[in-house]
Every structure is written in C-alpha cells, then in structure tokens.
C-alpha cells in the first residue's frame, strides 16, 4: 500500500514562492510510480496541476501554472516536489499528491488514473 505525505504548504503573499514535498513509502523498490499534484480550491472541483512520468521524467502542466510551477522527483529519497513561483491568489487551494504504480507511465492530469492520494497541504496566497 503506497502512502503519501505532503508538506511545505503555508501562507504567502502574491508573487512569492513555496516548495511542496510529498514523501512516498510502502511500495517495492523495483516498482515505479507515476506521480502528480492536484489542487482543490474552496467551492471548486479538484484539478490537475502537474505530473511526472514513472520512468523518463517527462512532465506535463496545467496551462494555468506553466512557466511558474516545476514538478520534480528524487528517486533516491522517494520524494516528489512542486516548486511554485510567482504565486497568485487564484493558486490558493488544498494541494494533493497522487501516485499510480506501473512501468512506462506517461504523465497525466486525469484524477481517475491515480490509485493513491495524500491528505493534502494548504496553500494560501494573499494579494
């Protein structure tokens, strides 16, 4: 059973930066994970923000965060990151890490493809 624990959320002013982390555990060393970040703002549905493939590190981003957010992972530490810069008030949301097990997985912003979810970390951006 894969477990995901997010950290790094907080409150920041518009234009600021934050780095989210997601520690993954509970999977076999020879297994690969496709990973993604999702967010849910108050009163809105959850949306995909960024994703990274399981093998080759290919990434994809939502149009709303392209050029501002960067997803990366450290396989040795089993940790996923989301570097967020030039933050805007509309980035305010609960941010979730998600994972799916497999080989050769392309990045995906589709929620239904992910089997495992963290509990989320809150990001608040004030104007």
């Amino acid at each position: 059973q894969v477990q995901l624990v997010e950290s790094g959320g907080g409150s920041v002013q518009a234009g600021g930066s934050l780095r989210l982390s997601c520690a993954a555990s509970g999977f076999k060393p020879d297994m690969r994970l496709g990973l993604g970040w999702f967010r849910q703002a108050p009163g809105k549905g959850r949306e995909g923000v960024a994703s990274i493939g399981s093998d080759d590190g290919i990434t994809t981003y939502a149009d709303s965060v392209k050029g501002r957010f960067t997803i990366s992972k450290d396989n040795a530490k089993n940790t996923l990151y989301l570097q967020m810069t030039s933050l805007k008030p509309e980035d305010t949301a609960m941010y979730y890490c998600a994972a799916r097990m497999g080989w050769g997985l392309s990045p995906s912003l589709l929620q239904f493809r992910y089997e495992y979810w963290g509990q989320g970390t809150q990001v608040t951006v004030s104007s």
Side-chain angles (χ1 to χ4, degrees):
Q1 183 80 359
V2 177
Q3 294 181 329
L4 304 171
V5 180
E6 302 98 333
S7 61
S11 297
V12 64
Q13 289 190 328
S17 300
L18 282 174
R19 188 177 80 156
L20 305 183
S21 299
C22 173
S25 61
F27 60 98
K28 294 181 179 180
D30 60 345
M31 182 52 66
R32 294 291 181 264
L33 297 178
L35 297 162
W37 287 101
F38 294 77
R39 67 185 181 187
Q40 186 167 18
K44 296 186 177 181
R46 190 159 55 186
E47 64 173 350
V49 175
S51 175
I52 189 166
S54 61
D55 296 344
D56 50 17
I58 292 177
T59 59
T60 191
Y61 296 90
D63 287 344
S64 59
V65 306
K66 280 181 182 176
R68 300 189 298 122
F69 291 10
T70 302
I71 188 172
S72 63
K73 62 180 178 177
D74 185 332
N75 289 327
K77 296 181 178 180
N78 294 328
T79 302
L80 177 72
Y81 301 100
L82 185 68
Q83 180 67 49
M84 305 185 293
T85 63
S86 301
L87 283 161
K88 305 175 181 180
E90 51 263 45
D91 294 319
T92 294
M94 185 71 79
Y95 283 72
Y96 298 91
C97 171
R100 53 184 183 144
M101 288 198 292
W103 293 85
L105 297 175
S106 299
S108 175
L109 298 180
L110 299 176
Q111 299 180 50
F112 73 87
R113 290 183 171 172
Y114 291 86
E115 305 162 278
Y116 306 100
W117 293 82
Q119 294 191 338
T121 185
Q122 178 68 38
V123 172
T124 303
V125 185
S126 58
S127 58

